[in-house]
Amino acid sequence: MKPGFEPGIEHELTIEVTEDMCPSFNGVVVHRCYSTWSVAHHFELAARMVLVGYLEPHEEGVGSHVSVDHLAPCGVGKSVTVQAVLTEVVHDRHVRVICELTAHEGKRLLAAGKQVQIVMNKEFLKEYIERS
């Protein structure tokens, strides 16, 4: 990890809710609003952006956990701001990177959650994937 990777680092992204972000099952759109799986995707993306600038050339981050408490709907065409905040860096066998996340439409909280990434040596990761 590059120097300066410490709790408090933030990344924010803003997205517009589109039709392809609506929950659908078997091709049928259930609600014209921001789906939980889209929230999870954007949580993963925002947390990745917290980490990516601090990876050394031989390192890669791998998602190991994401949780989403989806608290309120948000319709198509609305603007959503997703914020990831690095809250903890745990040095075990591999480095674990823990981010708290929120999604807001204006001041309204839509979702909150947590995402964890494991930082691994790229070669180790490649061999691990090939063994599976």
Side-chain angles (χ1 to χ4, degrees):
M1 300 293 306
K2 292 179 181 173
F5 190 67
E6 299 174 359
I9 296 170
E10 299 179 15
H11 184 80
E12 190 173 281
L13 63 103
T14 302
I15 58 99
E16 180 179 322
V17 178
T18 58
E19 294 288 341
D20 63 321
M21 295 177 193
C22 295
S24 65
F25 300 93
N26 297 321
V28 177
V29 173
V30 180
H31 311 290
R32 289 191 71 246
C33 63
Y34 193 35
S35 67
T36 305
W37 65 67
S38 292
V39 175
H41 170 77
H42 292 126
F43 277 9
E44 291 267 4
L45 180 58
R48 170 71 178 183
M49 297 311 293
V50 166
L51 172 64
V52 73
Y54 291 92
L55 292 171
E56 295 284 355
H58 67 278
E59 295 174 319
E60 186 53 85
V62 178
S64 69
H65 171 88
V66 64
S67 62
V68 176
D69 290 324
H70 201 163
L71 306 169
C74 185
V76 171
K78 302 283 184 156
S79 180
V80 175
T81 301
V82 175
Q83 182 180 48
V85 178
L86 177 62
T87 57
E88 192 174 2
V89 180
V90 179
H91 297 270
D92 288 334
R93 181 170 173 229
H94 300 287
V95 176
R96 279 187 300 133
V97 175
I98 302 165
C99 288
E100 297 292 327
L101 294 114
T102 57
H104 287 85
E105 183 224 349
K107 293 183 180 187
R108 193 165 64 103
L109 180 64
L110 304 174
K114 176 178 153 181
Q115 200 267 4
V116 179
Q117 297 171 80
I118 307 297
V119 177
M120 295 182 174
N121 178 288
K122 285 181 179 179
E123 282 301 312
F124 173 84
L125 179 59
K126 181 181 177 216
E127 291 171 10
Y128 186 59
I129 291 170
E130 288 173 357
R131 284 194 313 259
S132 61

